[in-house]
Amino acid sequence: QVQLVEAGGGSVQAGGSLRLSCAASGYTYSSLCMGWFRQAPGKEREGVASMHTSSSSQEDYADSVRGRFTISHDNANNTLYLQMNSLKPEDTAIYYCVARRPTAGLCPVMYPKNFNYWGQGTQVTVSS
């Protein structure tokens, strides 16, 4: 079982920055696939960024955030981060931290059904 607790959401003006964090606990696996999804009002949940906690070569980003957002992981603290720069009003959503065990050392495509552990979500609001 993996417990995920997000923090760092808030309100910011367009062009600003926020950093989300996700503390993971309750597991004994040597590595995880972890990532961030978001859901805006009236829209489907979408993948934002994901990574393998032991392999930087498996980072993946949604086209809408590539170049603006950066995902990272601190192995010492079992904490996942999402640095969000150049924020836009369309980035407004509830952001969820997700995790799952890798399959044959690989992380899955960012579909909600591919991740079985979810945090409670944190609100990000970007005003124009």
Side-chain angles (χ1 to χ4, degrees):
Q1 196 75 359
V2 181
Q3 287 83 46
L4 303 170
V5 179
E6 302 103 333
S11 297
V12 66
Q13 289 192 328
S17 299
L18 282 174
R19 189 175 80 155
L20 306 182
S21 64
C22 172
S25 63
Y27 66 98
T28 58
Y29 316 132
S30 59
S31 61
L32 287 173
C33 298
M34 297 188 71
W36 296 92
F37 279 72
R38 67 185 181 186
Q39 188 166 23
K43 295 189 176 181
E44 293 186 353
R45 202 165 285 191
E46 65 171 347
V48 175
S50 67
M51 66 177 294
H52 188 296
T53 58
S54 298
S55 172
S56 61
S57 65
Q58 293 193 48
E59 290 182 7
D60 191 19
Y61 292 92
D63 289 342
S64 59
V65 307
R66 187 173 287 112
R68 299 188 298 121
F69 292 9
T70 303
I71 191 171
S72 62
H73 184 260
D74 183 338
N75 287 323
N77 296 318
N78 293 329
T79 301
L80 183 75
Y81 299 97
L82 185 69
Q83 178 66 43
M84 304 184 294
N85 298 329
S86 302
L87 282 161
K88 304 175 181 180
E90 51 264 43
D91 295 318
T92 295
I94 299 174
Y95 283 70
Y96 298 91
C97 178
V98 299
R100 64 161 290 154
R101 293 184 66 180
T103 301
L106 298 176
C107 291
V109 176
M110 287 190 291
Y111 291 140
K113 65 178 182 179
N114 288 340
F115 291 85
N116 50 339
Y117 299 109
W118 290 72
Q120 80 285 356
T122 185
Q123 177 70 47
V124 171
T125 302
V126 184
S127 58
S128 57

